[in-house]
Amino acid sequence: MSVKRIAIFGSTGSIGTQALDVIAANPELFSVEILTAQNNDELLVKQALEFNPNCVVIGDEKKYQKVKDALASSNVKVFAGEKALEEAAAMDCYDMMLAAIVGYAGLKPTLKAIENSKPIALANKETLVVAGEIVMQKAIERRIPIIPVDSEHSAIFQCLVGEGRNKIEKIVLTASGGPFRGRKPNFLVNVKRDHALQHPNWAMGAKITIDSATLMNKGLEMIEAKWLFNLKPEQIQVVVHPQSIIHSMVMFEDGSTKAQMGLPDMKLPIQYAMAFPQRIPNKFPRYDFRKPDTLTFEEPDLKTFRSLALAMECLNQGGNMPCILNAANEIAVFAFLRNRVGFLDMTEMVERTINKIPFIEKPTLEELYHSDGEARNFAATLIEM
Ligand code: NAD
Ligand code: MG
């Protein structure tokens, strides 16, 4: 394998920093060409000095001069602002984009990379939730692989390798259940930000950690799976598996079920996506099947964790509904993280927004951008409720 030149969009986040660990451990396989961050200029500069990319993009334009000055002695180009993200994605200097920006902000740069015929290692699930049909269509037209980084989707992808045209009966997405598994609404109503930010199995960015606590994350993942693997909603099942050892499963038409397993560590799916189709050795800890342990499975509690039920509704309805769901959820999670709304208010905000914004069955990209804006504006009005 020759050196693969990676562009990391969202390099200062949980996925981005772990990807850089993988790259640092495999300098003969990977180089870094683009790094981007929204606010964390100090970490961006540190990464740029260590990995010497072609360019960096700082989202917050006020920080441009500071980053520029800090990198003056290097030959790293510095750009700033939202538009610069798309311009960087359109550059020729890289071989693969790791899409690791959080939220809707990841959509446009990822689309630009696909239009630029660059393979995508996709962590940013919101891209497919918002515009899955359009994104996948563009990727198919350009024959661009979209290789999932999300652990569940990486598991399914790995289970499908070698299966050719064999049909999938269903996929089983595993969910840890988050920090509040088994809890009821009378408990959840009082949950505070810091408690919700403590995930039992995974250390992740703030937004996805809150999504994991409400189970919205699993709903977003069902929608992500629909587009990645071309599935019907009824082929996608969620099962709670608190130990997070089985990362997901595929059941084929003969009933045979494949699972991908391992300790919960995002470096593995990140490394798999970047190196695909090759597997590369590493020193990550291994799961020991000899140690006494019990793997358990249960149905998700859709009555308590209504965000998952709402996401399932949007998955079934299709059109612009997942886009509206995502926008409302981003506003709600952001408000919760700022202690502006309670834990259960997040679900309420999402529900009211999906009932409010007009349904479009086959939205264009422009219509999706519009629905996103409408949903955000409406959801924001609910913060004072
Ligand atoms: P994070 O919050 O830790 O990092 C987000 C990154 O995106 C940062 O580099 C930040 O600077 C950048 N960013 C934030 N807002 C931006 C904006 N408006 N414009 C441009 N850049 C912006 O998030 P994360 O946990 O690393 O998650 C990244 C993506 O990967 C999310 O879509 C998440 O759902 C997905 N994912 C994460 C994990 C995980 O373990 N962290 C697992 C599966 C999937
Ligand atoms: Mg996941």
Side-chain angles (χ1 to χ4, degrees):
M1 192 165 128
S2 57
V3 173
K4 201 183 266 182
R5 300 167 303 168
I6 310 285
I8 306 184
F9 280 61
S11 65
T12 53
S14 159
I15 294 289
T17 51
Q18 293 182 82
L20 286 170
D21 290 344
V22 170
I23 291 172
N26 297 280
E28 69 296 355
L29 297 180
F30 306 113
S31 70
V32 180
E33 295 302 324
I34 302 176
L35 294 170
T36 87
Q38 182 60 17
N39 296 310
N40 193 342
D41 56 295
E42 283 173 16
L43 183 54
L44 182 68
V45 165
K46 186 167 171 276
Q47 292 176 339
L49 291 172
E50 181 178 349
F51 290 93
N52 194 31
N54 182 312
C55 70
V56 298
V57 182
I58 179 82
D60 181 353
E61 296 183 40
K62 291 192 294 296
K63 298 197 162 155
Y64 170 77
Q65 200 55 48
K66 204 171 153 207
V67 175
K68 181 98 182 126
D69 292 346
L71 293 176
S73 61
S74 74
N75 49 14
V76 179
K77 301 186 202 84
V78 180
F79 304 104
E82 202 184 318
K83 265 267 156 270
L85 281 177
E86 286 182 67
E87 285 159 13
M91 289 169 76
D92 259 340
C93 63
Y94 69 101
D95 300 315
M96 175 182 248
M97 170 191 273
L98 173 64
I101 287 177
V102 61
Y104 176 86
L107 172 63
K108 288 182 186 173
T110 306
L111 270 173
K112 196 52 98 184
I114 295 171
E115 286 162 7
N116 188 16
S117 298
K118 302 297 185 189
I120 310 290
L122 186 76
N124 178 260
K125 64 192 82 186
E126 294 90 345
T127 285
L128 291 182
V129 174
V130 173
E133 185 160 15
I134 294 170
V135 170
M136 292 310 290
Q137 190 56 41
K138 279 187 194 283
I140 288 164
E141 278 163 17
R142 286 172 179 74
R143 298 173 188 270
I144 298 310
I146 298 197
I147 306 173
V149 169
D150 212 347
S151 58
E152 296 77 1
H153 306 74
S154 175
I156 291 161
F157 187 94
Q158 293 182 54
C159 291
L160 291 175
V161 169
E163 291 294 342
R165 290 175 185 273
N166 286 333
K167 288 213 177 89
I168 297 172
E169 187 163 297
K170 67 173 169 227
I171 62 163
V172 182
L173 287 180
T174 51
S176 70
F180 306 130
R181 184 174 62 91
R183 299 294 195 173
K184 294 293 171 200
N186 59 357
F187 175 88
L188 295 177
V189 72
N190 295 317
V191 157
K192 292 282 173 284
R193 169 187 192 278
D194 291 346
H195 191 182
L197 280 172
Q198 281 157 25
H199 195 278
N201 302 348
W202 301 94
M204 310 178 284
K207 193 246 173 191
I208 184 176
T209 305
I210 301 304
D211 285 345
S212 300
T214 59
L215 295 201
M216 177 60 89
N217 182 50
K218 213 45 59 179
L220 301 178
E221 291 185 351
M222 292 178 80
I223 301 167
E224 179 186 13
K226 171 193 156 104
W227 295 118
L228 275 172
F229 306 113
N230 193 20
L231 300 169
K232 297 193 177 64
E234 56 274 20
Q235 289 176 289
I236 309 169
Q237 203 171 63
V238 170
V239 67
V240 173
H241 165 50
Q243 299 79 21
S244 297
I245 297 299
I246 293 186
H247 300 308
S248 278
M249 298 178 256
V250 179
M251 186 180 287
F252 293 93
E253 282 192 312
D254 59 357
S256 181
T257 306
K258 281 189 184 177
Q260 188 265 340
M261 308 171 75
L263 289 172
D265 181 350
M266 284 308 296
K267 285 212 222 24
L268 185 53
I270 291 169
Q271 147 172 336
Y272 182 84
M274 291 198 307
F276 180 79
Q278 204 180 318
R279 286 188 185 273
I280 52 180
N282 60 42
K283 298 225 160 32
F284 309 158
R286 268 54 170 160
Y287 183 65
D288 184 351
F289 285 89
R290 297 165 305 183
K291 83 171 199 267
D293 198 359
T294 311
L295 303 185
T296 61
F297 305 93
E298 64 200 43
E299 278 206 53
D301 175 357
L302 295 179
K303 288 208 172 71
T304 302
F305 296 93
R306 287 179 50 246
S307 289
L308 177 54
L310 293 176
M312 286 174 169
E313 248 175 59
C314 292
L315 166 70
N316 285 321
Q317 284 179 286
N320 62 342
M321 293 311 287
C323 167
I324 297 165
L325 172 94
N326 178 69
N329 183 56
E330 286 190 21
I331 297 294
V333 171
F334 195 64
F336 177 72
L337 285 170
R338 295 183 165 226
N339 299 311
R340 298 279 309 275
V341 303
F343 189 82
L344 294 178
D345 296 334
M346 289 191 278
T347 312
E348 174 95 17
M349 287 171 71
V350 171
E351 182 166 36
R352 288 181 61 179
T353 308
I354 61 179
N355 289 332
K356 174 77 179 178
I357 306 303
F359 175 62
I360 307 174
E361 194 178 344
K362 222 168 161 26
T364 62
L365 204 48
E366 286 309 317
E367 285 170 328
L368 288 171
Y369 296 158
H370 186 71
S371 296
D372 173 81
E374 276 188 306
R376 277 170 203 273
N377 290 339
F378 180 74
T381 66
L382 303 175
I383 292 177
E384 304 297 347
M385 69 188 180

